[in-house]
Amino acid sequence: MKKFLTLLFTCFTLAAFSQQETASLAISNDSKLTISKYIYGQFAEHLGHGIYGGFWVDKSLPVEKQDRIRLDVVNALKKIKIPSLRWPGGCFADEYHWRDGIGPREQRPKMVNTNWGGTTEDNSFGTHEFLELCTLLGTEPYFAANVGSGTVEEMSKWIEYVNSNSTSTIAELRKQNGHPDPYKVTFWGIGNESWGCGGNMTPEFYSDEFKRYASFAKNYPGAPLKKIASGPNSDDYNWTEVIMKNIPEWDMWGISLHYYTVPTGDWGHKGSATKFTEAEYFETMVKCLKMEELVTKHAAIMDKYDPKKHVALVVDEWGVWTDVEPGTNPGFLYQQNSMRDALIAATNLNIFNNHCDRVRGAALAQTINVLQSLILTDKEKMLLTPTYHIFDMYKVHQDAKYLPMQLTAPDYVSGDRKIPAVNVSASQDAAGKVHISLVNLDPTKNISISTGLKDIKWKTVTGQILTSKNITDINTFDQPNKISLQSFKGAKKDGDNLVVVLPAKSVVTLELF
């Protein structure tokens, strides 16, 4: 009898975990929008081991390097085609003075990084080193200028230093420091989080400061500036209202938005990156999906003042922010990266893709060893996180034609609460191939999706999947490939329709051609 009850319980458990629900999806070819590649940008701040020990390593470390730039990291990021890299912060940007980071390294002044751990910053990684890194990566630099503790002249001279080919003293200094030609850096953030660590300003005061700084942010030949205003914190809609009202649309290329998925919603105790229940997982996904609301509401305010959508919404800090890993420096923001984080990354990218009319830039926080990283390092060891693999899957959407859709899907239910179980985005590349990225947030139920593709001709479908046994699974230096991309066989052509069985807690990208 006991064996029978055990068998019966096992059968019921397996049945519960193999439940399959249905969804329908209709994708149209009726669009003139493009998914900007800059949505897939990254962020590297002078914080913890993001720069030092991440990109920029000790001369004695036994890894391949150019100068002190770590090349296995460079090669991994080149593979996913990161389009832009934001630097030097973050909060660090508004205490950074660029002249400290040029010239002979042994003569550069040292400073204390008061924002992140009180460590000594030796300024060995400065403007030239960052721009050399960007050259190796084949990516565009995105500078965050110091408005909080800097001056208009300081920012203006920095732009001149990197962009001017004149015979001015500043341009000649760049040439003396080893780079005869101008770098032609076009992306410039005018301050960072000016409502907080960047100066605790009101939106009225900041908008005036932006106009003052932007007046002296000059264009040089071949480098028309894309000036990005320091935008709102999360749901501060008044900040967006004031900025859009007070700053002429032609003065700014974009306005930033910062929002982090904090699992508990409590900044004092954010929750573990690796040890969480399904109830805590559900709560985290509720927080993640708030990005849809934020983008929609901020975009609606921008539409009032900029109906032709000249100004981009740039979500240049986003990602999961948990408690640090036990035993690590709290100021270094080092956290592990689980299957949950991969689902969050894919969901956010789908939101950005589907709002590509307004969202034309973003930056995951952060690239290496900090917050929701793509890469983790430990001395000579390096691993790719589940989040890295999402960016690898999604690179097909960069600068591709956006394909609008209508989705009807089941909910993921927890107690008396529910969220959409599925989210999707789709695009068509220059070769005519259609790519569909699907996310199933439900950790236990497979979902069968029938998809109609209006005015889209295709014959075959291939795909990749990222999933794992548990939502808490991670890659470690002992098991670096526990979560990795696999070939996906769960999609087929059924007449004119596409039928996909989307496994629980998975991300799938399909290619139709």
Side-chain angles (χ1 to χ4, degrees):
M1 182 65 177
K2 186 176 180 180
K3 289 184 178 180
F4 173 77
L5 291 174
T6 300
L7 179 62
L8 189 63
F9 176 79
T10 302
C11 289
F12 274 117
T13 301
L14 290 173
F17 274 83
S18 62
Q19 290 182 63
Q20 182 168 298
E21 300 198 28
T22 59
S24 64
L25 178 65
I27 298 177
S28 170
N29 200 25
D30 184 19
S31 171
K32 294 182 180 180
L33 295 173
T34 298
I35 297 173
S36 172
K37 66 180 180 180
Y38 297 115
I39 284 173
Y40 294 84
Q42 303 298 323
F43 174 32
E45 183 170 5
H46 286 241
L47 197 174
H49 295 299
I51 298 294
Y52 300 101
F55 284 114
W56 188 249
V57 296
D58 190 89
K59 294 178 181 178
S60 64
L61 192 72
V63 296
E64 188 178 1
K65 301 178 288 294
Q66 179 159 320
D67 195 353
R68 289 170 56 188
I69 296 172
R70 184 169 178 159
L71 292 182
D72 55 354
V73 165
V74 167
N75 291 333
L77 295 174
K78 284 177 68 176
K79 181 176 185 291
I80 61 173
K81 300 179 180 179
I82 68 169
S84 58
L85 186 61
R86 181 171 176 251
W87 174 86
C91 292
F92 182 79
D94 282 290
E95 65 175 0
Y96 181 69
H97 300 283
W98 68 270
R99 288 175 183 265
D100 293 345
I102 62 171
R105 290 176 195 153
E106 65 277 7
Q107 297 177 19
R108 297 180 188 180
K110 294 179 173 59
M111 63 173 285
V112 176
N113 189 335
T114 60
N115 281 290
W116 305 118
T119 57
T120 298
E121 163 69 55
D122 70 1
N123 282 305
S124 61
F125 188 91
T127 297
H128 288 267
E129 290 79 13
F130 172 66
L131 291 170
E132 176 64 16
L133 171 63
C134 289
T135 298
L136 292 172
L137 290 169
T139 194
E140 287 191 53
Y142 170 7
F143 281 28
N146 182 346
V147 171
S149 69
T151 66
V152 169
E153 181 186 20
E154 182 180 17
M155 183 205 67
S156 178
K157 294 298 186 185
W158 199 11
I159 295 171
E160 182 182 358
Y161 182 84
V162 297
N163 285 353
S164 174
N165 199 30
S166 69
T167 56
S168 71
T169 299
I170 290 294
E172 288 299 318
L173 180 59
R174 183 199 67 241
K175 297 172 186 178
Q176 293 168 21
N177 285 330
H179 205 274
D181 297 323
Y183 287 104
K184 299 182 180 180
V185 178
T186 61
F187 283 108
W188 288 84
I190 310 299
N192 166 78
E193 293 190 358
S194 298
W195 41 263
C197 65
N200 288 304
M201 304 177 192
T202 65
E204 291 81 7
F205 182 84
Y206 171 74
S207 60
D208 286 342
E209 286 291 275
F210 176 92
K211 288 184 285 188
R212 187 166 71 95
Y213 274 73
S215 296
F216 295 92
K218 305 295 186 179
N219 292 326
Y220 291 92
L225 300 189
K226 298 182 178 76
K227 289 172 274 192
I228 299 171
S230 178
N233 176 25
S234 185
D235 57 359
D236 186 353
Y237 300 113
N238 179 61
W239 186 282
T240 301
E241 184 89 35
V242 172
I243 297 302
M244 292 300 298
K245 180 180 180 180
N246 289 357
I247 300 175
E249 65 185 53
W250 56 84
D251 267 6
M252 55 182 173
W253 182 84
I255 178 172
S256 69
L257 167 65
H258 290 181
Y259 175 70
Y260 287 94
T261 298
V262 178
T264 64
D266 178 359
W267 285 91
H269 175 64
K270 295 178 282 292
S272 171
T274 58
K275 297 177 181 178
F276 49 87
T277 65
E278 186 183 337
E280 291 168 328
Y281 165 81
F282 180 88
E283 188 62 34
T284 305
M285 291 307 167
V286 171
K287 301 291 194 302
C288 166
L289 288 167
K290 185 176 174 65
M291 183 67 83
E292 173 71 35
E293 173 189 325
L294 295 173
V295 168
T296 299
K297 290 186 176 181
H298 284 295
I301 295 168
M302 296 173 75
D303 287 347
K304 286 171 53 179
Y305 300 95
D306 175 32
K308 294 185 179 180
K309 302 182 188 293
H310 294 302
V311 181
L313 183 59
V314 183
V315 192
D316 58 16
E317 286 190 33
W318 68 272
V320 184
W321 193 327
T322 69
D323 293 331
V324 301
E325 289 302 296
T328 64
N329 187 324
F332 285 6
L333 306 187
Y334 177 82
Q335 63 190 51
Q336 250 292 359
N337 198 287
S338 70
M339 186 63 215
R340 176 183 69 174
D341 296 357
L343 293 162
I344 289 170
T347 297
N348 276 283
L349 291 174
N350 280 344
I351 291 170
F352 301 156
N353 287 349
N354 290 328
H355 287 275
C356 63
D357 61 330
R358 184 63 83 175
V359 179
R360 298 196 291 276
L364 175 73
Q366 292 187 14
T367 316
I368 306 178
N369 293 330
V370 177
L371 299 175
Q372 188 175 355
S373 308
L374 300 178
I375 294 170
L376 300 178
T377 63
D378 179 14
K379 297 178 182 177
E380 73 278 4
K381 297 177 182 177
M382 183 193 82
L383 68 80
L384 307 177
T385 69
T387 297
Y388 172 93
H389 296 301
I390 295 300
F391 277 82
D392 195 7
M393 296 174 78
Y394 274 59
K395 65 189 179 187
V396 293
H397 297 300
Q398 292 188 26
D399 281 346
K401 176 184 176 182
Y402 167 70
L403 299 180
M405 68 194 68
Q406 290 184 322
L407 172 67
T408 303
D411 290 320
Y412 168 31
V413 180
S414 178
D416 60 354
R417 304 170 71 196
K418 60 185 180 180
I419 58 175
V422 177
N423 59 81
V424 187
S425 66
S427 66
Q428 187 173 39
D429 67 17
K433 295 178 180 180
V434 170
H435 296 102
I436 307 171
S437 291
L438 307 106
V439 179
N440 183 359
L441 297 179
D442 195 310
T444 63
K445 295 178 182 178
N446 300 340
I447 299 175
S448 178
I449 304 175
S450 178
T451 303
L453 295 106
K454 184 180 179 181
D455 300 324
I456 298 173
K457 296 181 179 179
W458 62 285
K459 295 180 180 179
T460 61
V461 56
T462 59
Q464 290 181 304
I465 184 171
L466 191 75
T467 190
S468 195
K469 182 179 179 181
N470 305 299
I471 50 178
T472 54
D473 285 347
I474 61 174
N475 288 338
T476 66
F477 294 108
D478 293 329
Q479 290 184 289
N481 298 311
K482 184 170 186 176
I483 304 175
S484 60
L485 289 179
Q486 305 295 328
S487 177
F488 179 67
K489 305 296 184 183
K492 65 179 181 179
K493 199 172 193 295
D494 183 14
D496 291 332
N497 285 351
L498 169 70
V499 177
V500 183
V501 177
L502 189 61
K505 57 184 178 306
S506 71
V507 181
V508 168
T509 291
L510 302 174
E511 181 173 276
L512 281 62
F513 58 98

